[in-house]
Structures are given as C-alpha cells and as structure tokens.
Amino acid sequence: MAKRSREPNGAASIYKGADGRWHGRVTVGIRPDGKPDRRHVGRKTKAEVVKAVRDIEHKRDSGNLSKPGEKWTLGSWLEHWVHEIAKKYVSENTYAGYEVDVRVHLVPGLGAHRLDRLEPEHLEAFYAKMQREGSKAGTAHHVHRTVRVALAEARRRGHVSRNVAEIARAPRIEEEEVEPYTIEEVQSLLLEASKLRNSARWVVALALGLRQGEALALQWDDVDLNAWYLRIRRNRLRPRYRHGCGNESCGKKPGYCPKREQTRREHKSTKSRSGRRTVGLPDPLIKLLRKHKEEQDRERAEAGADWEDKGYVFTSSTGGPLSPNTDYHVWKRLLRDAGVRDGRLHDARHTAATVLLVLGVPDVIVDAIMGWEPGGAARMRARYMHVTGLMLRKVADQVGEKLWGSPGAERDQK
C-alpha cells in the first residue's frame, strides 16, 4: 500500500495509490452522522488531482459545494420540492401551476437526470423538444420558470453548486399585439350582455377593467351603491375537487363526480396593497347594479331553501360563486352573439385602460383604478394602454396647430 504524507487535521491529502492512479481527499465539513465529510477524487496524474482538489476546496470555501448523501435525480427533487416545500409557502394558484409543470412536463421529460449533473443544454434541448411536439412558447417558458425556482431552492439547501436554469436560455415569447375593442364594439357587447343573466358582470369588466378573479369574488359588502364605489379585496380561485363517491366508483373525473367535494377555498385575499383598492362607479353602472340586485333578490325568493346565501354579487342560479371556466365560456359566447371579433377576457381590461388614457385621466388615478404596483405602473401602462386612432388624430391636430395654425382644417372640409 502506498505511503501517504502526514497532513494537519482537516487539510487535503494527495497521494499515489497502489492502483497506479493519483488520489486526493478533502475535508469539506461534517456529515449528518457527525463524522467528517471527506471527498475523494482520483485521476491519472498528480497535476490532475491537484487541480480537482483545488476545485473542491474553492467550492467548499465559497459555499457552492453540494451536500453529501443520497444523490437526487431531477425528478425526485422536483416531486419533493413541489409537494413538501412549495405547497406550504406559495398560493394555491401558484402551486397548481408548479404541480402541472412538474407532473406533466419536467418529470417525464427530464426526471432521470442526476440533479448535480444537469446542464443548461439539457434544459434548452428539452424546451425545443416541447415546442416541436406542439407546446406553445408560453408553456415552455412557464416550465422554465418553475424549474428555475426549484433549482434555486436546491442550491440554497446545498444539493447543487449552481442553478443551471439561470444559465439556460428561456424560450422566447413574442408578445402579442392586443387591439382594444372600439367604442362601437363595446356598445354591441353591452347591448347583447343586457339579454343575459348577470349582465352587469360584463359592464364591470369593460368599464372598470376588473380582472376575472376580482369580479367573480365581489360581494355585496364590497359595494356601496349610495356612496358610488366598490372595493376590491378578494380574488376568486379556480375550484378543485375530489371524489365523494368513494374509490372513484362513479367512473368520472373528480370535477364531474355526482358527490364531488371541494378541496380548495372559494377565494383568497388580494395579495398586493395596490390590488386592494377602491373604484368609483359611473352613474349608469350604479343603476345597473341596483337592477341586478333586485333580480338577484327575486331569484333568492324563488329558490327558497336551495339558495346558497354567500353574499356574492355575481352568482350561479342557486347563489353559489361563479366558476371561472363557465364565466370564460359565457364571454366567448357573448362575443359571437354580438358579432364582435374574438378576443381574450383579459382584453376587456385592455379596453378599459385605453378608455382611461383617451379620457386623459391622470396616471396616478389610472394606476389606482387598475390596481398596478407603483414600481411597475409605467411598464403596465405601456403594456395595457394602446394608441388609438382618436389619440393619433389629436396629436396630429396639435402638430398642425403648432406648425400651420390650423389643426385639421383640410380634414374638416372633407
């Protein structure tokens, strides 16, 4: 057996073994059982071992050395992280997004990789494969954000020395150009909405720019029709269910089980200070909400004991909260019936923001109405508010007045 030179306690040792190879051992800390954690490297030459030992010492001293013990695969770490760590500290909606990314995409696609041997190129190749197989760039981008958060936690706990997702290039997302609805289109939508149950729901979307979750979580306690304002304090959560029939005997998915049980609360408090806000109500909307309340009182009387009296402004036919999925499909049907071009429900929010811009409402008031954070308000205004033909004409008139002293004279003659 080859002799080893005696080194001070804790120092690295480098020696040539009986196998003819050079070996190095470095003390990097204490193992979970209390014994010294000694890392071993073996190379063909002494120079290679010295370099490997110095690398371990550098990682140890900079706090970037992975922990000893069982080696995680990416799959086992992601499943542990999403269920045992993330679930306890993030909102229900955030957790739901993480869980889908892990279960549907990351574990089947990359789960077999050793956590400490994962490379940025593995992630980039996987994102490209996702898109080749039909996933949208936005889906791949969301998966990237999820694995980046998971690996940041792994690095913080010492399971990996670096977060390769911070190095990997995320899929590029081309931001879609959104064209807000014109005044004529909004009027067509409002006319068609007046024929629907919960018609005020769509007026609130188009006139005030409330997010879907904010509108569906509104309760009558949040609305003061005499003082002409409403308060945004909650967000509706997407429902999740489990079987109530026992052992999935109905043969259906949990959401369609005749005895399904709700596993998620109906709403949560608005998380940001700017999101918790008070919004003034135009006089026509006050009148519409009064009428809506009368109709709801009539439905309550007709439903009798079947009515779920939970205080929501916009309800199902029996008083329960509206499902975001049902609400979305009603919006799509409303667009078709009104003969208006297709668009996202969120486009109604773009429309409301654009109207505020056209009206010349001060930025600070716009930010308060839309619920934008002060630090990112300017960016959000640029994203949500759109240059309309009316605004372009106004600027052209101002330029004409400055240069020629006759704004829009030629156009007016036509």
Side-chain angles (χ1 to χ4, degrees), residues 222-240:
D222 304 321
V223 182
D224 193 325
L225 297 178
N226 295 319
W228 296 21
Y229 71 81
L230 59 79
R231 291 173 295 179
I232 310 299
R233 298 186 292 181
R234 306 176 189 85
N235 262 300
R236 175 78 167 101
L237 294 173
R238 292 186 177 277
R240 293 181 72 90

Side-chain angles (χ1 to χ4, degrees), residues 191-212:
L191 179 61
E192 193 63 34
S194 66
K195 306 172 186 177
L196 300 177
R197 186 177 173 278
N198 285 322
S199 61
R201 155 77 183 101
W202 309 111
V203 183
V204 164
L206 291 161
L208 304 182
L210 268 61
R211 301 173 178 91
Q212 184 191 42

Side-chain angles (χ1 to χ4, degrees), residues 33-192:
D33 60 5
K35 297 179 181 179
D37 179 14
R38 296 275 286 174
R39 302 294 173 93
H40 169 262
V41 291
R43 300 289 188 272
K44 290 183 178 180
T45 67
K46 182 177 181 179
E48 289 176 322
V49 166
V50 169
K51 184 178 183 300
V53 166
R54 299 293 177 259
D55 182 54
I56 293 175
E57 290 175 331
H58 174 72
K59 289 181 178 179
R60 175 196 63 191
D61 297 341
S62 62
N64 290 327
L65 193 66
S66 60
K67 284 184 176 181
E70 181 182 354
K71 298 297 183 182
W72 294 89
T73 63
L74 178 62
S76 61
W77 168 251
L78 287 171
E79 289 175 341
H80 171 77
W81 167 77
V82 75
H83 297 301
E84 304 300 329
I85 301 174
K87 188 175 184 178
K88 299 175 183 177
Y89 300 105
V90 301
S91 70
E92 291 97 327
N93 283 349
T94 301
Y95 167 74
Y98 286 163
E99 193 276 333
V100 169
D101 287 342
V102 168
R103 173 173 51 83
V104 176
H105 300 291
L106 288 165
V107 170
L110 291 169
H113 282 280
R114 273 264 299 267
L115 184 64
D116 57 350
R117 294 180 182 175
L118 188 68
E119 295 294 337
E121 292 76 15
H122 294 145
L123 296 178
E124 291 166 346
F126 176 62
Y127 303 148
K129 182 172 181 285
M130 283 182 64
Q131 293 176 263
R132 285 197 306 272
E133 294 178 352
S135 293
K136 293 183 179 179
T139 301
H141 195 91
H142 195 280
V143 167
H144 172 75
R145 292 204 306 269
T146 296
V147 74
R148 186 179 64 197
V149 175
L151 292 179
E153 187 65 28
R155 186 175 187 273
R156 193 174 75 84
R157 294 173 182 242
H159 299 309
V160 292
S161 61
R162 60 176 181 158
N163 184 347
V164 297
E166 292 179 348
I167 303 170
R169 294 284 185 179
R172 184 177 179 179
I173 300 179
E174 296 290 344
E175 189 168 327
E176 295 182 7
E177 183 65 30
V178 179
E179 183 181 355
Y181 293 110
T182 65
I183 296 299
E184 291 76 14
E185 288 173 322
V186 171
Q187 289 172 339
S188 296
L189 287 169
L190 294 181
L191 179 61
E192 193 63 34

Side-chain angles (χ1 to χ4, degrees), residues 222 228-232 274-280 365 368-369:
D222 304 321
W228 296 21
Y229 71 81
L230 59 79
R231 291 173 295 179
I232 310 299
S274 58
R276 296 187 295 272
R277 62 198 189 277
T278 300
V279 179
I365 303 299
I369 292 174

Side-chain angles (χ1 to χ4, degrees), residues 311-357:
Y312 287 103
V313 174
F314 305 116
T315 72
S316 68
S317 58
T318 56
L322 289 176
S323 164
N325 188 51
T326 300
D327 184 68
Y328 167 81
H329 288 297
V330 172
W331 166 255
K332 290 294 187 179
R333 187 171 69 247
L334 176 60
L335 292 174
R336 291 194 300 270
D337 293 346
V340 173
R341 57 192 164 82
D342 191 31
R344 305 171 306 165
L345 178 51
H346 205 68
D347 292 345
R349 184 165 163 82
H350 283 261
T351 300
T354 304
V355 169
L356 293 173
L357 179 61

